[in-house]
Amino acid sequence: MSKKNKKKSAHGGHKNQPTGQEEGAVRAKKHLGQHFLTDESIAKRIADTLSLDGYTNVLEIGPGMGVLTKYLLQRDLDLVAMDLDEESIVYLNHSFPLEHQEILKKNNRLNVVEADFLKFDLSELYGEEEFAITGNFPYNISSQIVFKMLEMRNQIPEFSGMFQKEVAQRICEKPGSKTYGILSVLVQAFYDAEYLFTVPPTVFDPPPKVDSGVLRLTRRKELQLPCDERLFFKVVKTAFNQRRKTIRNSLKTFNLSDNLKEDAIFDQRPEQLGVADFVTLTQKIANDPV
């Protein structure tokens, strides 16, 4: 973590606001997609998904009442806990340090930040340093979190956390499945994706209507694709927007030459193509003389 952030501690924040204890427990807010994890063993398992191999900066998105935060702080890392919910921020700045004094005595490298992850400029926190991301992600923005992570992949060697089960499975899915799609290809182009375990609704307050799933993404050694990456993203998204059609039909808007469209790869449907196939397809399109 950069020097300016090491000076901040969990005790900063709104001086004149009441503490979380006086306010009572933080209320889960439907419009923020909040479902607070209540199972301690699952929180510890999520904290342990990070290898901390070659980095110490960790960003937790949506800490809520800190059930995962306290297990992360038991590891040797510099933690930023980022939440959009003012009630959670007050709790983490005031009640959390009082309730977990022993943990913070051993590791007080906690910076509580009130911000919207999707809009926040992370260079303000990390400059060009590497950092991992983890959290119990709000369902309603989980896919957007992944897309922002991909934009910053040069700085993010590892990413783990909890999603709606079907989203976690989709990210980790292999070609040939109906759930294999845009997220699967774009994530797996740059990361090794592992679906780790399923979490039932009963361990949340309030319980969601669906199961959750925890995954881990580990960045590949090759940070760049051997093709035009902007075109790669466009090809993948366009192909899956009409996933039932063959590549030949789903990519009609690209105005490709008749000669190229005779290539056997255009007979496939997008769900049949792996990352390497989409790279090859992108290269062929980039070299099309039309």
Side-chain angles (χ1 to χ4, degrees):
M1 183 177 288
S2 59
K3 291 180 181 178
K4 64 180 179 180
N5 293 311
K6 284 184 177 178
K7 294 178 182 177
K8 298 179 184 178
S9 77
H11 303 277
H14 311 273
K15 292 181 180 178
N16 298 323
Q17 289 178 317
T19 67
Q21 282 182 325
E22 291 167 345
E23 287 285 315
V26 180
R27 295 167 292 121
K29 296 161 192 70
K30 190 174 182 180
H31 72 281
L32 293 177
Q34 292 176 326
H35 297 276
F36 294 140
L37 180 65
T38 59
D39 189 300
E40 300 279 334
S41 63
I42 292 174
K44 185 177 187 306
R45 286 177 74 185
I46 296 173
D48 289 343
T49 58
L50 297 177
S51 70
L52 301 182
D53 184 12
Y55 67 88
T56 60
N57 293 327
V58 176
L59 171 62
E60 181 190 359
I61 299 173
M65 291 183 68
V67 64
L68 173 58
T69 310
K70 66 184 177 188
Y71 287 105
L72 289 167
L73 287 170
Q74 290 175 47
R75 306 193 65 191
D76 184 18
L77 51 77
D78 298 274
L79 183 64
V80 171
M82 181 178 289
D83 209 303
L84 182 58
D85 181 11
E86 185 178 357
E87 219 173 29
S88 290
I89 296 298
V90 172
Y91 179 87
L92 291 168
N93 275 322
H94 297 280
S95 294
F96 183 84
L98 295 174
E99 294 168 6
H100 303 291
Q101 293 181 44
E102 292 304 312
I103 293 173
L104 288 166
K105 277 182 184 177
K106 296 176 182 177
N107 182 0
N108 196 28
R109 292 177 290 167
L110 170 64
N111 179 13
V112 178
V113 175
E114 182 176 359
D116 180 344
F117 169 77
L118 297 178
K119 298 177 182 177
F120 190 79
D121 181 1
L122 293 171
S123 66
E124 292 183 21
L125 291 172
Y126 297 116
E128 297 181 359
E129 294 179 19
E130 291 199 328
F131 60 98
I133 293 177
T134 193
N136 173 23
F137 305 121
Y139 287 163
N140 56 349
I141 61 166
S142 60
S143 295
Q144 294 166 273
I145 289 171
V146 174
F147 283 122
K148 181 167 180 177
M149 179 271 297
L150 288 174
E151 291 174 5
M152 300 193 67
R153 59 186 179 275
N154 288 356
Q155 286 183 256
I156 304 174
E158 212 163 31
F159 177 104
S160 71
M162 184 139 51
F163 292 80
Q164 184 174 334
K165 181 182 178 181
E166 66 175 36
V167 176
Q169 287 179 323
R170 186 180 306 136
I171 291 170
C172 301
E173 192 59 89
K174 299 303 178 188
S177 164
K178 288 182 179 179
T179 57
Y180 177 76
I182 294 172
L183 273 177
S184 320
V185 178
L186 298 184
V187 169
Q188 292 174 43
F190 305 101
Y191 289 83
D192 291 320
E194 306 169 81
Y195 184 91
L196 299 178
F197 57 91
T198 301
V199 180
T202 51
V203 299
F204 294 93
D205 181 26
K209 295 179 180 179
V210 293
D211 284 343
S212 300
V214 175
L215 59 71
R216 174 172 53 221
L217 307 178
T218 307
R219 192 177 60 199
R220 297 178 182 273
K221 290 182 180 179
E222 294 296 327
L223 293 179
Q224 307 300 323
L225 296 177
C227 66
D228 181 328
E229 290 184 3
R230 185 172 293 181
L231 181 58
F232 175 83
F233 274 64
K234 184 179 179 182
V235 167
V236 171
K237 290 179 178 180
T238 306
F240 278 104
N241 281 339
Q242 299 185 70
R243 61 180 299 139
R244 294 183 180 180
K245 295 184 177 181
T246 63
I247 296 295
R248 183 178 294 107
N249 290 321
S250 63
L251 297 187
K252 273 186 175 179
T253 56
F254 281 71
N255 296 318
L256 303 171
S257 68
D258 291 338
N259 188 45
L260 178 58
K261 286 188 287 188
E262 290 306 310
D263 192 297
I265 199 169
F266 285 85
D267 294 326
Q268 306 289 308
R269 288 187 172 83
E271 66 195 44
Q272 296 174 285
L273 303 185
V275 171
D277 299 317
F278 272 107
V279 168
T280 299
L281 177 60
T282 302
Q283 291 170 336
K284 289 177 185 289
I285 291 173
N287 294 323
D288 190 26
V290 168

